Amino acid sequence: MMNQSPITPQLVEYYIATKLPLPMQNASGIEYWIGNNGVFARAQRPGLTVLMPISMHEQSIKGLVELQPFVQLNPLVPEDLLWRLWAIAYHDCPKEVLFHLILENEQWQLITPDQLQSQTSCRPYDTDAESSTHQALIEIHSHGNLPAYFSPTDDTDECGGFRIYGVLGKVREVQFEILLRVGLFGHGWTIPVQQVFDVDTNHELNDLCQTNGSVYYAISRSHFEL
């Protein structure tokens, strides 16, 4: 994984939500929207659109509309790619493995880049503009036998881009763990596996977004700063 360039103030806009639906997005980076129920960030790139919660109000702001956060990945990643991911992580355990998923012509490609691996880290060798490191819409890494969680190192590495990030953990147990989040230039929001992969609830995986008591519209437990 790598730390990408931070977003600049010129790529950020600020709005107040007085009516629905929201207008089409103008900013090429982030739009912040204040609704009666909280502050939200909106962004889009080919294949991925998100309106994610940043902070929620304990009391509503009168005169503003309520905003409902969402993430839309189109198309979803086919189920077989998730099992290919797991199979590679299982084979390489206890080392960590980095995966990139790239969307081209509405088709998903799974890439396992050449990388430096250890039991506690994985890092791609190629990080230029044409590499999968920069082109990936989804980036996932494994934790081998350890649980799936986003570490402080992950938070630092993922603060400079807009994509979906994930972690696989306990890959050799009966139920391997998976944890997914949207990363938006320093903001993080955990999301269910069904919002990324075209898969039903399966006894072979443990979606930590669900089992940890998180819900789809919950703010990520991680804290970020622009």
Side-chain angles (χ1 to χ4, degrees), residues 7-80:
I7 193 167
T8 62
Q10 292 78 13
L11 297 178
V12 180
E13 299 287 347
Y14 304 89
Y15 299 96
I16 297 176
T18 57
K19 62 181 180 179
L20 295 173
L22 298 181
M24 295 183 62
Q25 182 165 350
N26 292 319
S28 58
I30 302 177
E31 290 181 355
Y32 287 104
W33 284 87
I34 301 175
N36 77 350
N37 55 329
V39 180
F40 300 78
R42 183 169 73 163
Q44 62 183 14
R45 57 180 293 187
L48 179 61
T49 304
V50 65
L51 179 69
M52 63 188 294
I54 302 301
S55 65
M56 305 301 289
H57 300 326
E58 293 184 2
Q59 300 184 48
S60 62
I61 299 178
K62 294 178 174 61
L64 303 185
V65 296
E66 181 176 333
L67 298 178
Q68 294 297 327
F70 68 89
V71 59
Q72 182 178 23
L73 183 69
N74 187 28
L76 295 176
V77 181
E79 180 179 7
D80 67 290

Side-chain angles (χ1 to χ4, degrees), residues 196-218:
V196 178
F197 292 94
D198 189 10
V199 59
D200 294 328
T201 302
N202 193 295
H203 69 280
E204 294 179 340
L205 65 85
N206 182 6
D207 180 7
L208 296 185
C209 181
Q210 306 286 1
T211 58
N212 283 352
S214 300
V215 295
Y216 181 47
Y217 296 137

Side-chain angles (χ1 to χ4, degrees), residues 8 33 35-36 52 56 78 86 89-90 119-120 132 139-140 144-145 148 161 183 185 191 194 202-204 212:
T8 62
W33 284 87
N36 77 350
M52 63 188 294
M56 305 301 289
W86 166 78
Y90 183 97
Q119 294 187 24
T120 57
S132 63
E139 178 178 292
I140 296 175
N145 292 319
F185 296 104
I191 57 174
Q194 286 88 358
N202 193 295
H203 69 280
E204 294 179 340
N212 283 352

